[in-house]
Amino acid sequence: MADAADDIDKLYEFGERLNDAKDKSENKQDYEGIIAAANGSVKAKQLAAQLIPKFVKFFPELAEQALDQHLNLIEDQELGVRVQAIRGLPLFCKDTPEQLTKIVDILGQLLIAGENVERDAVHKALMTVLRQDVKTSLTALFKHIGSIEDQSAEDFSTWDSIRKKVLLFLRDKVFPLKTELLVPQELMERHITTLVKQNLQDVTAAEFKMFMDFLKSLSLFGHKAPAERIQELVEIIEGQADLDAQFNVSDADHIERFISCLSMTFPFFKRGASGSKFLNYLNKQIMPVFDKLPEQGKLDLLKNLAECSLCATTQDSRQLLPSVVQLLKKYMVRRKIEEINYTCIECLLYTFHHLAHKTPNATNSLCGYKIVTGQPSDRLGEDFSEQYKDFTERLSTVDDLARAMIKKLTQGMADQNKALAAAKTEEEKDAIKTQKLNATFALRACNNILAMTQPLNAKTPKFIGDQKTNLSWKEAAKPSGPSTATVAGQKRPAATTNGSNNNPLKKGRGAGGTQHQLVNKAFSGIYDSGRSSGRGGRSWRGRGRGRSYH
């Protein structure tokens, strides 16, 4: 005990002499005594953890030795010693900026600390160095995100844990303070954009979405940003979608990633960015093997294509339209059968209208219409009467089937109202309410089909080119705010899980369940989120690390 007290007294003496000295560099022995005292008792270590970083700037020749000793304190068994040592780390680079990268690297590794008070100290220390030099600090911090090669299983596990903690720190601590930290704004926003772009090679879907949400929140890409800057965001997403790779229809990861990325780009298409690379890839690589896609993948793809068709260029529309018409004919049967997918037909009709609106005479050879634009591509001298007969017969059949389905749905909703009044338990009531909500979506789809088939029956049809048709899975348009796939104030369908082709109607729960099997099949998947991939549960796997995107 006496020795420990003596150590404390000596430390105070060393500290007081250094405080009082006008030329502190002359008191080298006092500073060396402080460094040596860091091997003493717990209290001595705690005091040394305060004094070592406080005076290190006056003894550059001892800086390396001082930092090594300080790092020993950070690894001490006593929590109080570790916390005090962590708090002192920013002082090592306050007046010696050449140390900043190393200190940030150390603090990044310390983010995996298990104790809350220790982790809080790391967070505060990191925020301190970020405010000292945000550019250098961010550069050092992002080095923990990029992939490492040829690591052992143990090294990988440690690296991966640090990486996750760094990402959480960026998301929770740095990104919310972007206005304060990213100064000067344009220079630093460009710098962090570059850092993000350099570290997207091996991210999961959730991580990628986090980075894209952050980038689009920057003033650099704000509402006043020119189209070429918005195109930069699209190019980042194009790289993540692997549009330069050959599409493999058996690769579920690539399918989900493409659909999720296509969904992510839609808001940027609306702001003037080009979607040509996505649509060209879809047309040449995916449409030829569309039938081999999983059912949920087909539906997700068609929903996203419908929304993106609004922003397709004339050239993209002309190239994509033949594939859309061919696919539309597969779904629009010529004879009245019960097993058709109204949701897919709604998507394809919507896409057809918007593409044809931009290049109307392309439908002459595809559907037998007689649209005159004065261009050779009108092909008015050729006979496409068979195409016209086939297409209009299919339209008529689908029109009749949609009307019949509306009648069944309306009757079913009346039955559900009666069942709801008779239900005794909350579980029964919830199940019936879910069925009613599903039927509402289904009615929207059928009504949309009727609205889109009727203008197509003439030799010179009217193609819809505006946004007045509200797709069935989307909430009614509002002046502001993002669209969602559910009705405000209503519960989401309980069985839309795991991206599978299941939906609440298939469960047949509650009164009237068995009589709606036709509806279940016809509207399979309609009640999932309009752009479900990569949003809320369904996700693609992290490449390289082989991790699922969760």
Side-chain angles (χ1 to χ4, degrees):
M1 292 295 290
D3 290 341
D6 289 343
D7 289 342
I8 298 295
D9 290 340
K10 287 181 181 180
L11 275 171
Y12 277 117
E13 289 178 14
F14 296 148
E16 287 173 2
R17 283 201 293 268
L18 281 167
N19 273 327
D20 295 338
K22 292 183 178 180
D23 185 359
K24 295 179 177 25
S25 61
E26 294 181 355
N27 293 58
K28 182 178 179 181
Q29 286 186 337
D30 290 332
Y31 192 64
E32 287 176 331
I34 292 172
I35 295 175
N39 295 316
S41 65
V42 171
K43 289 186 177 180
K45 290 178 180 179
Q46 286 180 301
L47 184 54
Q50 297 178 50
L51 297 175
I52 288 174
K54 181 178 180 179
F55 296 111
V56 67
K57 65 181 179 181
F58 301 109
F59 306 97
E61 72 278 13
L62 296 176
E64 185 174 348
Q65 180 185 350
L67 182 58
D68 286 344
Q69 186 70 296
H70 201 77
L71 293 180
N72 289 335
L73 297 176
I74 286 174
E75 296 175 350
D76 197 83
Q77 292 182 349
E78 288 291 329
L79 176 62
V81 174
R82 297 199 303 271
V83 170
Q84 188 61 59
I86 290 168
R87 289 171 179 166
L89 275 175
L91 291 174
F92 277 92
C93 53
K94 184 177 181 180
D95 298 291
T96 52
E98 63 273 12
Q99 292 274 29
L100 192 142
T101 296
K102 185 174 184 179
I103 298 304
V104 173
D105 178 66
I106 293 168
L107 287 168
Q109 296 178 55
L110 290 173
L111 283 169
I112 61 175
E115 298 290 341
N116 289 338
V117 64
E118 191 175 2
R119 196 161 51 248
D120 288 344
V122 176
H123 288 172
K124 290 176 181 177
L126 272 171
M127 294 307 297
T128 298
V129 295
L130 278 164
R131 290 185 171 96
Q132 288 177 14
D133 185 341
V134 65
K135 184 176 182 179
T136 304
S137 297
L138 283 174
T139 302
L141 205 53
F142 265 83
K143 288 181 180 178
H144 288 290
I145 299 174
S147 58
I148 57 175
E149 303 295 335
D150 301 325
Q151 70 273 31
S152 66
E154 184 178 356
D155 289 341
F156 171 81
S157 177
T158 301
W159 166 81
D160 197 44
S161 297
I162 293 170
R163 181 183 179 279
K164 289 176 181 177
K165 294 297 183 181
V166 169
L167 286 169
L168 288 174
F169 177 77
L170 288 170
R171 185 194 69 186
D172 298 337
K173 303 295 183 180
V174 178
F175 291 172
L177 295 178
K178 62 180 184 293
T179 304
E180 174 192 342
L181 294 174
L182 301 182
V183 178
Q185 186 181 67
E186 185 174 353
L187 178 66
M188 287 311 306
E189 286 191 352
R190 174 50 64 189
H191 179 65
I192 198 169
T193 298
T194 301
L195 290 175
V196 169
K197 291 166 70 174
Q198 291 172 346
N199 289 279
L200 292 176
Q201 299 89 348
D202 196 23
V203 293
T204 64
E207 294 163 359
F208 183 65
K209 185 179 184 302
M210 178 195 75
F211 279 127
M212 290 308 301
D213 285 345
F214 171 68
L215 290 182
K216 69 183 182 182
S217 76
L218 298 177
S219 297
L220 192 67
F221 304 105
H223 294 298
K224 296 181 180 180
E228 57 267 23
R229 201 172 289 166
I230 304 305
Q231 188 65 38
E232 182 180 348
L233 294 178
V234 172
E235 289 171 1
I236 293 172
I237 301 172
E238 287 173 351
Q240 192 67 20
D242 278 353
L243 299 186
D244 294 325
Q246 180 69 31
F247 182 71
N248 180 0
V249 72
S250 62
D251 184 356
D253 178 84
H254 198 182
I255 296 168
E256 288 193 26
R257 190 163 62 249
F258 178 86
I259 294 171
S260 185
C261 288
L262 179 60
S263 166
M264 209 177 290
T265 54
F266 175 59
F268 304 133
F269 297 160
K270 295 178 73 173
R271 296 178 61 187
S274 170
S276 295
K277 192 167 183 179
F278 267 100
L279 295 178
N280 185 58
Y281 189 88
L282 171 65
N283 189 38
K284 293 185 176 180
Q285 297 272 353
I286 301 179
M287 283 300 201
V289 293
F290 183 86
D291 287 343
K292 297 180 181 179
L293 294 175
E295 289 305 311
Q296 187 64 39
K298 292 178 182 178
L299 183 60
D300 287 342
L301 186 65
L302 292 181
K303 286 180 178 181
N304 282 282
L305 175 59
E307 294 192 47
C308 291
S309 66
L310 286 164
C311 306
T313 64
T314 299
Q315 182 178 358
D316 293 335
S317 299
R318 186 172 291 276
Q319 291 176 349
L320 188 56
L321 199 55
S323 298
V324 171
V325 171
Q326 183 179 8
L327 196 56
L328 185 56
K329 288 181 178 179
K330 288 183 179 180
Y331 280 96
M332 291 201 311
V333 294
R334 293 187 67 172
R335 58 190 182 86
K336 294 181 181 180
I337 59 175
E338 294 184 339
E339 294 184 5
I340 67 171
N341 192 314
Y342 291 90
T343 317
C344 290
I345 292 173
E346 177 197 12
C347 294
L348 285 164
L349 280 172
Y350 189 91
T351 302
F352 174 77
H353 269 282
H354 284 279
L355 299 182
H357 181 77
K358 299 179 183 75
T359 176
N361 67 347
T363 63
N364 290 354
S365 60
L366 295 171
C367 309
Y369 290 131
K370 297 289 185 181
I371 296 173
V372 180
T373 66
Q375 300 296 318
S377 54
D378 290 348
R379 301 175 66 176
L380 296 178
E382 300 180 53
D383 182 12
F384 297 113
S385 56
E386 283 300 317
Q387 285 87 336
Y388 179 75
K389 179 182 178 184
D390 177 72
F391 194 67
T392 53
E393 283 182 0
R394 293 177 188 274
L395 287 171
S396 179
T397 299
V398 168
D399 189 288
D400 291 343
L401 289 172
R403 292 179 188 279
M405 179 57 70
I406 288 173
K407 185 177 180 180
K408 290 181 179 181
L409 287 168
T410 304
Q411 179 60 48
M413 291 178 75
D415 294 341
Q416 288 160 2
N417 288 333
K418 295 177 183 178
L420 184 61
K424 296 180 180 179
T425 67
E426 287 302 316
E427 184 178 0
E428 289 176 344
K429 291 178 181 178
D430 287 343
I432 297 168
K433 287 177 181 178
T434 298
Q435 289 182 350
K436 287 186 64 179
L437 180 60
N438 294 342
T440 300
F441 283 116
L443 279 171
R444 289 182 190 174
C446 286
N447 283 319
N448 282 343
I449 289 172
L450 293 182
M452 290 187 286
T453 55
Q454 290 172 4
L456 300 178
N457 286 314
K459 278 282 186 179
T460 54
K462 294 181 180 179
F463 300 121
I464 299 170
D466 55 38
Q467 300 183 51
K468 291 181 180 179
T469 301
N470 192 50
L471 291 163
S472 61
W473 62 89
K474 295 177 67 66
E475 189 177 358
K478 294 181 178 180
S480 63
S483 61
T484 63
T486 58
V487 177
Q490 296 284 348
K491 291 189 176 182
R492 281 183 63 88
T496 52
T497 59
N498 301 326
S500 66
N501 200 26
N502 297 325
N503 62 73
L505 290 179
K506 284 191 174 182
K507 303 300 181 184
R509 296 179 302 171
T514 56
Q515 64 179 324
H516 294 293
Q517 294 305 308
L518 172 60
V519 179
N520 301 346
K521 198 160 189 176
F523 295 94
S524 174
I526 188 174
Y527 316 107
D528 292 336
S529 167
R531 295 188 293 264
S532 60
S533 295
R535 296 193 176 199
R538 276 168 47 74
S539 49
W540 70 77
R541 292 177 286 279
R543 290 166 290 168
R545 294 189 298 278
R547 300 183 302 170
S548 291
Y549 188 73
H550 295 293

